[in-house]
Amino acid sequence: MRIQFVLILAAMFVITPAGYADETDPHAHHKQMMSNSGRYDRSLHTYDLDGVKVIRSDGAEMTLEEALGNDKPVMIHFIFTTCTTICPVQAATFAQVQRKLGDEVADVRMVSISIDPEYDTPSRLRDYAGKFRAGPQWAFVTGTTDQIIRAQRVFDAYEGGKMNHKPLTLLRDAGSDEWVRMDGLVNASDIITEYRKLAGDS
């Protein structure tokens, strides 16, 4: 009987925790994505921004088109400040892009769009930007829930909620309507390589 009891306990500890952890860990699929860092799917798209409005971290409300502009190359991604997995990695990647571009970064517009507008107020986005030493070319925007859902849908990025979102980076050249879509957790070198292609440097 003692041997049977030990075997039952062993089975519980070997089999149950793995499945249990996957079911209760809201970041489980994000952690899986992090294991695929550096691998991404590249595609080209055009998107209709359709008058979507956002709120910048300085409190100014504007259309998404105004926030992105079209006079400089632009890089965007979607994050939320309480995320502990892929979002800080994506923000750190933008910070690396900013550093590696050096003085050239002034000729680029970078935008982080929060997908948790209920928590990510302009002041919280300002604090978050400070953690990554975001320069003046790097804007953080939020909005109402409806506005942010629309913004995600415009870029075919809406997954039904913040815990379901997937890493996505988009780049567009100045004066262009075509976006380079990078699905996956990209690194700074990947982004700069795609940026150079837009600029015709490679």
Side-chain angles (χ1 to χ4, degrees), residues 52 75 104 123 200:
V52 175
M75 309 171 179
E104 188 181 354
S123 64

Side-chain angles (χ1 to χ4, degrees), residues 1-12:
M1 290 290 294
R2 182 179 176 80
I3 293 175
Q4 289 178 333
F5 180 70
V6 170
L7 289 174
I8 291 171
L9 281 177
M12 289 173 62

Side-chain angles (χ1 to χ4, degrees), residues 40 73-77 88-112 132-138 168-172 182 185-196 198:
Y40 65 95
V74 62
M75 309 171 179
I76 71 170
H77 62 197
V89 173
Q90 290 185 106
T93 297
F94 262 26
Q96 289 178 336
V97 169
Q98 176 179 254
R99 178 176 55 80
K100 288 184 175 183
L101 286 178
D103 293 341
E104 188 181 354
V105 79
D107 298 323
V108 177
R109 186 169 283 110
M110 305 166 72
V111 181
S112 296
F132 294 94
R133 299 182 180 180
Q137 86 294 335
W138 185 357
L168 169 66
T169 305
L170 298 123
L171 288 77
R172 186 187 66 189
M182 305 169 72
L185 197 57
V186 298
N187 56 45
S189 295
D190 295 328
I191 294 174
I192 291 174
T193 295
E194 294 293 347
Y195 163 70
R196 298 287 185 217
L198 288 179

Side-chain angles (χ1 to χ4, degrees), residues 28-89:
H29 74 290
H30 288 161
K31 292 173 182 175
Q32 177 62 38
M33 291 174 193
M34 290 176 70
S35 69
N36 294 324
S37 179
R39 285 177 280 179
Y40 65 95
D41 293 323
R42 181 187 191 274
S43 53
L44 300 176
H45 300 268
T46 56
Y47 300 107
D48 182 3
L49 303 187
D50 194 26
V52 175
K53 290 187 177 180
V54 294
I55 300 171
R56 217 166 45 192
S57 61
D58 62 3
E61 185 174 17
M62 61 190 63
T63 67
L64 183 56
E65 289 175 300
E66 290 170 333
L68 298 179
N70 203 15
D71 59 331
K72 296 180 179 181
V74 62
M75 309 171 179
I76 71 170
H77 62 197
F78 298 88
I79 54 96
F80 63 100
T81 64
T82 57
C83 174
T84 59
T85 52
I86 61 176
C87 298
V89 173

Side-chain angles (χ1 to χ4, degrees), residues 76 120 130 176 184:
I76 71 170
D120 287 342
S176 176

Side-chain angles (χ1 to χ4, degrees), residues 104-164:
E104 188 181 354
V105 79
D107 298 323
V108 177
R109 186 169 283 110
M110 305 166 72
V111 181
S112 296
I113 301 175
S114 169
I115 59 171
D116 186 11
E118 292 183 359
Y119 182 83
D120 287 342
T121 60
S123 64
R124 286 194 171 109
L125 288 179
R126 288 196 299 272
D127 291 343
Y128 196 73
K131 290 180 182 178
F132 294 94
R133 299 182 180 180
Q137 86 294 335
W138 185 357
F140 287 73
V141 302
T142 184
T144 67
T145 298
D146 287 344
Q147 287 169 345
I148 294 304
I149 288 175
R150 286 189 66 195
Q152 291 174 81
R153 283 181 169 156
V154 159
F155 292 106
D156 193 23
Y158 185 62
E159 299 291 341
K162 65 182 183 181
M163 301 311 298
N164 298 323

